Amino acid sequence: MATTGTQSAKDGQYDVIIIGAGFGGASCAGLLARRGLRVLLTEKNAVAGGKAMSLSKNGFTYTAWVVIGAPVIDNYYQRMLDELDVAELATLAIPGTQGSIYKTPEGKYKLLPSMSSDGTDPNVLFEWLEIAEEERGPALQFFAEMTLMPADQVAQLSGTSLDAWIRSKNVPRPLYAFLVSLCCDGMFMVPVDSLDAAEAITSLQQMFTRGGGVFCEGGYGRVAEAYCEAVRRSGGQVLMSTRSERILVEDGRVTGVQTRAGTFEAPIVISNAGLQPTVLRLVGEEHFDKSYVNYVKELVPSYSLLGYRYFLSRPVTDRPYGVIFSNDSPWSLERFNLARRGEASREGVLYYEVPSNYDPNAAPEGKQLLMTGCFCPPDPDLSKQEIQAWADAGEQTLFSAFPELESAIESKELFTTRSVANATRDSALPGVGGETIGLGQVIGQCGAQKPSIKAPIGGLFYVGCDAGGTGVGTQQAIESGVNVAEAVYRYHHLRYATFGAD
Ligand SMILES: Cc1cc2nc3c(=O)[nH]c(=O)nc-3n(C[C@H](O)[C@H](O)[C@H](O)COP(=O)(O)OP(=O)(O)OC[C@H]3O[C@@H](n4cnc5c(N)ncnc54)[C@H](O)[C@@H]3O)c2cc1C
C-alpha cells in the first residue's frame, strides 16, 4: 500500500482530523494513517467504540449493550484488524449456536434447537416455528429466491419496503415474524414497513449464506480500540477524552477543529459525530445553504433499544444470544405509534446477550451477566414513565421466557436512550440522539438516496452509519470507514496535484 505523506504541510498541521473513534471513525483513521497521511483522531470518551464500546465492572467484561455482528465469514471487523496489522489486539468470538425463543400462539416459549452459526438449516426453523407441512415448500422457495437473488435485482427493490416485498410472497406468519424479529427489527431498528427492501435483503443474504452472531472477547469496543492503536503505530495522534466543540470554516472550506485540548488545523475534517450534529452543531447551519439544512433536518434516525444488564448469581442459560418473539412482535409504523401513545401493547421483540457464553473470561466463576434490549423511540429525553413502560414490557417477556431468572438477580442496571446519546452522538434536534444505528435505513435514505459522504463545504466528510456504508450497524460503520478513507485519500492527493500545498 502506498505511503505518501504530504511533505508540504506546515509544521504542527495535520493532513486530516477525524472526530470520533466509533467503528467508522477509527477504521477510517487507521487506514489513512497507514497510507501515510498525518492523522489526528479526537474522541470525547475515554474509550473508543462509540455505540459498541466495551465496559467492565466487578469482574464482568461486556459490550455496553446487546451488540451482535454479522456476517461470520469474511466480515469487515476481521478484514480491518488484519489490514491494519492489529489482529493480536482483538479476538472475535463466534459461538456455535444461538438461543432464539418463539412464543407460540398458545403462549408457550420454545427454544430454537441448537444450530451452527455459520449457516441456517431452514428445515430446523420450520419445525421449530410449527410451519405446516403444506406451507414448507413455498417457504423454502422463498428462502431460495431471497438468498440467491442477484445484486442487480436486489437493487431494483430499493424504494420498496421489506414488509411489502415479503408479504407479496405469502410467507407463513411465524417465518415472517422470525425474519423480521431476528434479522430486521434488530439489524436495522426501523419498523419493517419503512425499511428499504434492498438494504435488508442484502444483509439477509449475508446472514443466511455467511452466518451471523459475531462477538468480540472483552466486548465489541476492543475492535475500535485496536483500530486506534493502528493509528498510533502509523505515527498518527489519538486524543481520547477530547471533545471537539467546533469545526472551523473559512470561505466555505474547513480549516481545522476547536477541541477542549486546543485548536488544531487541517484542510480535511472527517466527522464520525453524526451527520445532523455535525451540520447543526459542530459547523453551524449558517455555513450551509438553507435547502441543505432543511434536507439534513428532515433525515430520520433509526429507533432505539433500551434494556437491563442483569448481574446474576448463577447461570440461567448456556446460549450466547437470542431474540424472544411471537407472531405479533414485528413493529409496523402504525403499531409502533399506537404503542407509543399507550394505545397498543409494547410487547415486541426482546434481544438478549450473555457475554460469558461466548467468552468464558467475561464473568466471574459461577456468575452470569445477561443483557436485554427492546425497541423504543430514539428520544434521549423520554419521560420516566415512558422509559419504565418500555422497560417493563421487555422485562415481562424475559421473565416469562426464563422463569428462573428473577430469583438469580443480584443487581440490575437500566440503560436508556439517554445512556446511548451520552456515550455517542449529541442530540441536534428534538426527539433525536439516542438512536441505535444512526440515520434510519428507511425508504428514501438508502441506495442512491443515501446521504453523500461529502458535505457541501470544502474538505468536510462524514463517516460512520450515516453515510458511505450499507448493512448491519457495526459492519456498515466500518464499510463506511473503508469507503471514506479511499475517497479522502484520493481527494487529498488530487488537491495537492492540482493546487500544490494547502
Ligand atoms: C443499544 C444498541 C444496540 C446495538 N446493537 C447492534 C447489533 O446487535 N449489531 C450491530 O452491528 N450494531 C448494533 N448497534 C449499532 C452499532 O453499534 C452502531 O451502528 C455503530 O457502532 C455506529 O458506529 P459509528 O462509527 O457510525 O458511530 P458511533 O458508534 O456513534 O461513534 C461515534 C463516535 O464519535 C464520538 N463523538 C461524537 N461527538 C463527538 C465530538 N463532538 N467530539 C469527539 N468525539 C465525538 C462518540 O463518542 C463516538 O465514539 C447497536 C447500538 C446500540 C446503541
Side-chain angles (χ1 to χ4, degrees):
M1 186 173 284
T3 54
T4 49
T6 301
Q7 302 305 317
S8 61
K10 281 179 266 166
D11 281 352
Q13 271 192 333
Y14 296 94
D15 294 320
V16 54
I17 299 172
I18 292 131
I19 300 173
F23 278 49
S27 57
C28 187
L31 286 168
L32 289 172
R34 287 276 288 182
R35 294 183 82 169
L37 268 65
R38 299 191 303 176
V39 166
L40 171 65
L41 173 61
T42 77
E43 165 56 52
K44 69 177 184 179
N45 295 323
V47 292
K51 290 181 189 294
M53 68 171 64
S54 296
L55 299 177
S56 60
K57 182 177 175 174
N58 301 335
F60 294 93
T61 56
Y62 44 99
T63 315
W65 22 69
V66 181
V67 178
I68 307 156
V72 169
I73 300 167
D74 193 21
N75 56 59
Y76 269 112
Y77 321 109
Q78 188 64 47
R79 238 193 272 168
M80 272 314 100
L81 288 169
D82 294 338
E83 181 158 353
L84 298 176
D85 211 7
V86 286
E88 82 284 4
L89 299 180
T91 306
L92 297 184
I94 295 138
T97 186
Q98 61 124 308
S100 288
I101 298 172
Y102 174 50
K103 180 185 174 190
T104 66
E106 295 74 39
K108 204 170 124 209
Y109 289 85
K110 276 177 71 181
L111 179 65
L112 174 70
S114 198
M115 196 161 51
S116 159
S117 63
D118 61 4
T120 303
D121 180 348
N123 291 309
V124 176
L125 285 185
F126 297 164
E127 196 63 40
W128 168 59
L129 295 171
E130 303 181 351
I131 293 173
E133 283 293 339
E134 64 275 15
E135 288 184 311
R136 292 188 184 186
L140 206 54
Q141 222 170 348
F142 162 78
F143 258 112
E145 182 186 342
M146 183 180 71
T147 47
L148 300 177
M149 191 185 294
D152 57 335
Q153 262 182 48
V154 174
Q156 281 171 23
L157 289 172
S158 192
T160 302
S161 77
L162 184 73
D163 177 66
W165 182 73
I166 304 189
R167 279 181 194 277
S168 73
K169 305 292 169 194
N170 290 323
V171 171
R173 181 70 194 183
L175 183 56
Y176 170 95
F178 174 65
L179 284 177
V180 173
S181 302
L182 175 68
C183 306
C184 294
D185 278 357
M187 270 155 67
F188 299 104
M189 294 298 307
V190 291
V192 62
D193 48 356
S194 60
L195 174 61
D196 187 85
E199 185 89 16
I201 292 169
T202 307
S203 291
L204 288 170
Q205 288 184 331
Q206 289 182 4
M207 181 101 99
F208 287 114
T209 56
R210 287 154 58 191
V214 184
F215 297 94
C216 183
E217 292 180 9
Y220 243 113
R222 290 271 170 95
V223 171
E225 289 167 26
Y227 298 166
C228 288
E229 184 54 24
V231 176
R232 293 185 197 99
R233 287 181 185 176
S234 297
Q237 196 176 357
V238 182
L239 293 180
M240 301 305 295
S241 306
T242 305
R243 172 182 274 276
S244 292
E245 288 171 332
R246 201 81 192 156
I247 295 173
L248 305 171
V249 175
E250 274 173 33
D251 299 328
R253 287 199 57 77
V254 297
T255 58
V257 174
Q258 182 190 317
T259 75
R260 290 214 174 138
T263 298
F264 300 92
E265 292 178 8
I268 301 175
V269 173
I270 305 173
S271 178
N272 188 206
L275 196 153
Q276 290 171 326
T278 300
V279 170
L280 303 174
R281 294 183 66 148
L282 287 172
V283 177
E285 42 183 286
E286 65 279 11
H287 290 287
F288 295 90
D289 283 350
K290 199 160 176 35
S291 60
Y292 187 73
V293 172
N294 288 341
Y295 160 77
V296 167
K297 286 183 175 171
E298 291 259 290
L299 292 167
V300 175
S302 75
Y303 292 160
S304 201
L305 284 178
L306 61 72
Y308 286 102
R309 302 180 191 113
Y310 297 95
F311 296 89
L312 305 174
S313 59
R314 59 176 190 276
V316 296
T317 174
D318 60 0
R319 300 292 174 103
Y321 75 102
V323 288
I324 307 169
F325 69 101
S326 73
N327 290 352
D328 301 323
S329 296
W331 289 106
S332 65
L333 279 168
E334 187 187 5
R335 186 166 97 78
F336 189 75
N337 285 334
L338 287 171
R340 225 196 142 164
R341 290 200 293 269
E343 294 166 14
S345 163
R346 284 186 163 88
E347 185 182 333
V349 56
L350 184 79
Y351 292 83
Y352 75 90
E353 179 183 327
V354 183
S356 55
N357 286 345
Y358 55 82
D359 171 12
N361 297 320
E365 185 86 36
K367 305 225 172 190
Q368 199 165 66
L369 164 63
L370 186 146
M371 296 184 290
T372 61
C374 63
F375 230 77
C376 69
D379 186 354
D381 296 317
L382 288 176
S383 69
K384 269 192 180 153
Q385 292 84 337
E386 197 170 353
I387 289 171
Q388 206 52 57
W390 291 104
D392 287 349
E395 188 159 75
Q396 217 173 339
T397 300
L398 184 75
F399 290 170
S400 304
F402 293 101
E404 70 287 13
L405 186 143
E406 202 172 350
S407 65
I409 298 172
E410 286 184 337
S411 64
K412 67 179 185 180
E413 294 171 353
L414 179 67
F415 72 86
T416 67
T417 47
R418 173 48 64 196
S419 327
V420 173
N422 285 349
T424 63
R425 64 178 57 187
D426 294 332
S427 175
L429 289 164
V432 180
E435 51 269 30
T436 38
I437 311 290
L439 292 175
Q441 285 147 292
V442 296
I443 291 171
Q445 293 185 182
C446 291
Q449 291 168 305
K450 184 101 178 167
S452 167
I453 58 170
K454 180 75 184 69
I457 282 194
L460 180 60
F461 293 80
Y462 312 113
V463 73
C465 281
D466 289 358
T470 56
V472 50
T474 44
Q475 183 80 186
Q476 176 181 209
I478 304 174
E479 186 180 290
S480 166
V482 171
N483 291 335
V484 173
E486 188 59 37
V488 165
Y489 184 75
R490 202 179 322 112
Y491 177 91
H492 166 79
H493 285 290
L494 193 59
R495 279 191 61 78
Y496 183 67
T498 312
F499 305 114
D502 269 300

